[in-house]
Amino acid sequence: MNKVKIIVNECSNKFLNYLIYNRIYYDSLDKYNDYYVVIVSYDDYLYIRRRYKCHIVKYYGKENVIDIFNRNKYVFLSLIISFMLLFLLCNTIFDIKINSDNEDIIKIINDSLNDNDVSLYKRKVSFYKLNSIKNKILVDNKDTLEWIEIREKGCKYYIEVTPRVKSNNNVNRNEPSDIVADKDGVIKHIVVHSGSKAIDIGDYVKKGDTLITGNVIKNETVVDKIHSDGVIYAETWKTVNISIPFKRVDYVYTGKTINHYYLDIFGHEFTLTGKYDSNDTINKKSIVIDKPYLFFKLYKEEKKKYSYNEIILSEEEAYNEAINRSVSEIEKKLSSDEYIISKKVLKKEVNSSKINLEVFFKVYEKIGVASEIKDIGEENGESN
């Protein structure tokens, strides 16, 4: 039964007799000069106010909560709106920084992000979708990009890009050529099959520097130009930024695929076969028939079924997984004769939902690609 504390505008003993006569139970009763303060049930309060002028000064139990809410409802409403606004702002993308001066590469990345619904003032995507987008950009632009890392910090996405230095396809073994560095590094091993080496083991080189030259020089004069051939290995450096949530859901492909065929007639879908509605599939839609003289289009929707497992990690388990994933990120880009020399965690951040690591790697890899031969003047930064 809900209790209330009331003030009764009565100071005589008649009020006390009234309570006793009407068998009104009270928890406490205090008498002051001009009034009584008494704690009674809410129903008894309603009965008392028929006879005496009184008002409630405090509620107890559920009614107290309701009273507090009613008296402060605008404060509570402001807090709710503030938290909703804060949540919305914290999950909105306000800036995307692409670390590149190449306008073509910036356009490729921006277009790819837009295709995946990642753009300014839209909601941030999950860690797994962001990783999937990154991998898709690399696959779709494997001839243009060698490395891409997308890092979320606050309401911003920071994107690090390494463009791929390609061999000149017009350079063949019968034409003069150089071998140049396609990334920065410290030379570790050189094998020259033809041409002359332009660097030594232990030298630091930058992307674009000549490693093996096709210029044949005698007495400081170029007397011939040949096709350079050789293999150069160097210590290079890569940084991986990775986030691992402490709680996640892993989706595992079950091996079952359902092919849903349907007709689209003036915007309405009519299933032919394979209709399957569920939240446990990843769908890929393609058009089978689309002719201007037909009043319909035939679509195929490939639905791959997945099962899911909820995984909860401790801080140590999340840390180890982050390390393993960063190693895997590097290794999947290396050939069998390339390897990781060492790794070091540069930065570690832990919050209530995830762990963020920045891992630095030293890598042993090939860095030479064929290029049009450079004249001596060009190599020294001179122009004719």
Side-chain angles (χ1 to χ4, degrees), residues 89-107:
L89 293 175
C90 288
N91 287 276
T92 301
I93 304 168
F94 285 102
D95 197 9
I96 298 176
K97 298 284 189 183
I98 302 174
N99 186 20
S100 176
D101 296 326
N102 190 314
E103 294 295 332
D104 292 334
I105 288 178
I106 292 174
K107 185 178 185 304

Side-chain angles (χ1 to χ4, degrees), residues 322-337:
I323 293 294
N324 292 335
R325 287 199 184 188
S326 64
V327 170
S328 179
E329 280 284 318
I330 299 295
E331 288 182 338
K332 69 184 180 182
K333 302 180 185 301
L334 303 180
S335 59
S336 59
D337 55 345

Side-chain angles (χ1 to χ4, degrees), residues 51-69:
R51 176 75 177 271
Y52 294 98
K53 187 177 180 181
C54 57
H55 63 277
I56 298 173
V57 294
K58 185 175 182 180
Y59 290 87
Y60 295 93
K62 182 176 69 175
E63 294 296 332
N64 182 45
V65 176
I66 295 173
D67 178 60
I68 292 174
F69 178 79

Side-chain angles (χ1 to χ4, degrees), residues 185-370:
V186 175
I187 302 301
K188 292 295 184 182
H189 184 69
I190 309 169
V191 177
V192 179
H193 300 302
S194 62
S196 303
K197 66 177 183 178
I199 39 80
D200 290 310
I201 292 175
D203 287 351
Y204 168 73
V205 296
K206 300 182 69 175
K207 184 170 71 173
D209 286 352
T210 300
L211 307 177
I212 300 176
T213 180
N215 288 312
V216 179
I217 303 173
K218 288 185 178 179
N219 299 323
E220 299 183 354
T221 302
V222 176
V223 296
D224 197 5
K225 295 181 180 182
I226 64 173
H227 175 83
S228 297
D229 190 16
V231 180
I232 302 96
Y233 292 89
E235 176 190 302
T236 61
W237 310 281
K238 300 181 186 296
T239 301
V240 175
N241 292 279
I242 191 164
S243 298
I244 299 295
F246 296 126
K247 184 177 180 180
R248 71 171 187 265
V249 174
D250 279 355
Y251 292 86
V252 182
Y253 178 46
T254 63
K256 184 175 181 181
T257 299
I258 299 170
N259 292 319
H260 174 215
Y261 290 89
Y262 65 90
L263 296 175
D264 184 313
I265 302 177
F266 304 120
H268 298 282
E269 295 182 5
F270 298 90
T271 294
L272 299 178
T273 182
K275 186 173 178 61
Y276 180 81
D277 293 325
S278 176
N279 294 326
D280 61 356
T281 63
I282 294 179
N283 306 333
K284 181 181 179 182
K285 185 169 70 173
S286 59
I287 192 163
V288 180
I289 298 176
D290 181 15
K291 301 296 183 181
Y293 52 80
L294 296 177
F295 65 92
F296 66 86
K297 297 178 183 178
L298 176 61
Y299 284 92
K300 173 186 176 183
E301 191 174 29
E302 185 182 75
K303 300 187 174 186
K304 293 185 176 181
K305 291 192 67 177
Y306 285 77
S307 61
Y308 63 90
N309 299 315
E310 185 176 73
I311 296 177
I312 300 176
L313 302 175
S314 65
E315 181 181 328
E316 181 180 0
E317 290 171 332
Y319 177 86
N320 292 333
E321 182 169 330
I323 293 294
N324 292 335
R325 287 199 184 188
S326 64
V327 170
S328 179
E329 280 284 318
I330 299 295
E331 288 182 338
K332 69 184 180 182
K333 302 180 185 301
L334 303 180
S335 59
S336 59
D337 55 345
E338 299 172 326
Y339 57 88
I340 294 172
I341 299 172
S342 64
K343 62 181 181 295
K344 181 179 180 180
V345 176
L346 299 180
K347 189 175 182 181
K348 174 183 174 183
E349 293 179 347
V350 180
N351 57 39
S352 59
S353 61
K354 63 183 177 180
I355 184 170
N356 302 314
L357 292 187
E358 183 177 352
V359 188
F360 173 77
F361 289 89
K362 292 181 179 180
V363 181
Y364 182 86
E365 62 179 332
K366 294 177 184 177
I367 66 166
V369 294

Side-chain angles (χ1 to χ4, degrees), residues 122-181:
K122 288 193 175 181
R123 188 171 181 177
K124 293 190 290 186
V125 300
S126 67
F127 164 77
Y128 295 100
K129 185 173 181 181
L130 197 63
N131 197 51
S132 176
I133 291 170
K134 178 188 72 174
N135 292 332
K136 187 175 186 303
I137 293 173
L138 277 177
V139 171
D140 292 345
N141 302 278
K142 58 185 178 182
D143 294 331
T144 305
L145 302 178
E146 180 176 330
W147 181 265
I148 181 171
E149 185 64 36
I150 305 177
R151 179 164 50 95
E152 175 190 327
K153 188 173 183 180
C155 295
K156 296 182 180 180
Y157 283 145
Y158 292 89
I159 302 176
E160 301 290 335
V161 183
T162 300
R164 184 177 294 279
V165 177
K166 298 179 289 185
S167 298
N168 189 334
N169 293 329
N170 296 322
V171 177
N172 58 49
R173 301 190 65 86
N174 297 319
E175 293 181 349
S177 66
D178 286 340
I179 294 180
V180 302

